[in-house]
Amino acid sequence: MSSLKEKLAQQIPGLREEIKALVKEYGDRVISEVTVKQAYGGMRGVKGMVCDTSVVEPDKGLIIRGIPILELTEKLPEEILFLLLTGDLPTEEELKSLQQDLSSRAEVPGYVWDVLAAMPKDSHPMAMLDTGILVMQRESVFAARYSEMAKTEYWDAALEDALNILGRITGLAAGVYRMRYEKGSRIPPEPSLDWGANYVHMLGLEETDETYSMMRLYLVLHSDHEGGNVSANTCHTVGSALSDAYYAVSAGLNGLAGPLHGLANQECLGFVLKVIERFGGVPTEKQLTDMCWELLNSGQVIPGYGHAVLRVVDPRFTAFHNFGKKHCADDDTFKTVDLLFQVAPKVLKEHGKAKNPWPNVDAGSGALLYHYGLKEFPYYTVLFSVSRAMGMLSQLIINRALGTAITRPKSVSTAWIKQQVGA
Ligand code: CMX
């Protein structure tokens, strides 16, 4: 048994008892209420689900298992996975055991490549990634064991599926990149490298310590963002029907592919490149301000700005921004992103609609990827997905461990609401 599985096996019975006792003692206590505005407004702020892997505080941003994200930027993504699942950072031995486990599961089956090769050449890389995950569903340990296993074993089968998906996802994602952008044949994994560095290797980017660090940082920062966002919530809902991790994660990632969610990084870099092209380099503050207004006046959003929960600069943006200032301060793309950071909040405040005028994670990530040679920005959400799969899968395993019920909130009709409020 791997040390991660061992640790979870020790923790889970206690967790189950804790939740059972909490619900028994306080099950009828009210923790939230719902207004008409919230019912029509994407349930914003309604507290109706539980997620223990991370929380997002409006004034602080992402906190993973009690640790603010800015204190985790030097960690490896594998350490974050261990932290998400168990609440503790791994010891050196536990880290090594997890890395070996992931590495032993890295081979992507040949039929996945056949399916992807049959897709139209202009398929979006996200459609290719999600298809690649979904087509592997036939290998689900959870689905195979379902009819014979006890409920108390669900987490164990879900963990097997999760580790298989995470072991393969970097190779799959790198293969999608090389296939979609005709970069030549696939590059096999290099077992001596950590998860993030290996991804750089398989993508075929220039392999330097700086590129490795950038990728590790990227994979750490995007790993989780509590449970209510579109991708996590979707993965949770699909998984709550006891659909296995392949179904649940690919569903969640389909949500991440939306321009108001993970695709915003592609949109944001697209905007930045358009700016550079129009002005033949980094624009002046006035030129960029005018372009932001053009965007807003044509009814579009400024991608990478605003957030459903955050009300401050996203610390994940800060982490990317700090990395960029240190390593690529002279790069035109980074300089334009930097200028947008000065301009966009002012414009959004004056515009007066967005509750949060500050940048989110998607405002800063693209410039770094572009700088390190990953120029095909429709691919960026795939990188986000590789990282976010860690959070979604951790939440899924914990939910199967706790026996979380099938999701079924009550919907009401507009006629019912009118009657209820006496409209
Ligand atoms: N540019 C222009 N208008 C914006 C805006 C932005 N960046 N952010 C919010 N607004 C607008 C909304 O569209 C909304 O307008 P309407 O009233 O006309 O519908 C109004 O301001 C109020 O929205 P809000 O309550 O501040 O924000 P929401 O919780 O509804 O939406 C989000 C949050 C992220 C979808 C929104 O800020 C947005 O569209 N941002 C740009 C896209 C983006 O960066 N998404 C990535 C988010 C992070 C992630 O999930 O990866």
Side-chain angles (χ1 to χ4, degrees), residues 123-127 130 181 218 222 230-231 252-271 301-305 360-363 365-366 369 376-385 388:
S123 298
H124 195 281
M126 277 302 287
D130 294 352
Y181 297 106
Y218 190 101
H222 289 82
V230 167
S231 47
L253 295 180
N254 286 333
L256 196 70
L260 293 190
H261 195 11
L263 205 80
N265 57 14
Q266 148 179 349
E267 302 283 306
C268 192
L269 192 69
F271 175 65
V301 294
I302 301 181
Y305 283 75
N360 59 59
V361 68
D362 294 321
S365 54
L369 295 171
E376 297 81 2
F377 54 88
Y379 182 76
Y380 290 178
T381 312
V382 172
L383 287 132
F384 194 152
S385 303
R388 187 51 65 86

Side-chain angles (χ1 to χ4, degrees), residues 18-37:
E18 190 187 333
I19 306 295
K20 215 164 122 188
L22 188 69
V23 175
K24 189 168 175 222
E25 179 78 18
Y26 303 102
D28 291 330
R29 294 278 185 94
V30 175
I31 55 168
S32 199
E33 57 177 21
V34 187
T35 63
V36 173
K37 195 168 155 189

Side-chain angles (χ1 to χ4, degrees), residues 318-338:
T318 306
F320 278 135
H321 197 227
N322 290 344
F323 191 96
K325 279 194 284 193
K326 189 166 166 195
H327 297 291
C328 53
D330 291 335
D331 182 300
D332 273 4
T333 319
F334 178 75
K335 281 197 218 156
T336 308
V337 164
D338 190 41

